[in-house]
Amino acid sequence: MNFDEFTGTVQHRLEFPGTGQTVRAIRATLSTLGRRIPADAAEDLAASLPIEIKWYPTGAVDTHGERFDWSEFVARVAEIEGCDRADAAYHARVIVDFVREQVPESDFQELRDQLPESQETEHWGKLFEVVDAGGWNESQEAAVSGGRQGED
């Protein structure tokens, strides 16, 4: 898949009017995720993505392996993307689900292993809600986009 196909699919799923907004959402999600996970996990995750997208979790990140929780992740994504937290959380969920479709299962599992999903700790399970619901597809589009979920 190339950059245009990747961004076009994300644009469609997020129902964005333009490519600029789409690229901002992808960059915000993947660069923030790249800051949270170790550099080798970011490289593995990005290896199957288009080179322009691969840059966000790897080359665009100065420091990998920072410790922050889901709430801080959403705040950072919202700030970079220039949107509210509920929108940022929804965009991140949809983008991560699409990344799951593009990368080997082992690389995606490595990502999940880096992020604690317990409700008692960092709440990272919220990032994988679309994935865990069976992933995005046309029949689920109305259910997922019809009522965006809050960040919490």
Side-chain angles (χ1 to χ4, degrees), residues 53 74 150:
I53 303 297
V74 171

Side-chain angles (χ1 to χ4, degrees), residues 12-57:
H12 170 73
R13 291 182 182 188
L14 293 177
E15 299 178 354
F16 282 163
T19 305
Q21 185 179 11
T22 305
V23 171
R24 271 192 310 280
I26 295 167
R27 178 177 54 90
T29 296
L30 295 183
S31 65
T32 305
L33 198 55
R35 285 181 176 83
R36 175 60 178 79
I37 62 177
D40 59 339
E43 287 288 339
D44 290 346
L45 184 70
S48 300
L49 301 177
I51 193 153
E52 300 91 342
I53 303 297
K54 178 181 181 173
W55 174 254
Y56 299 137

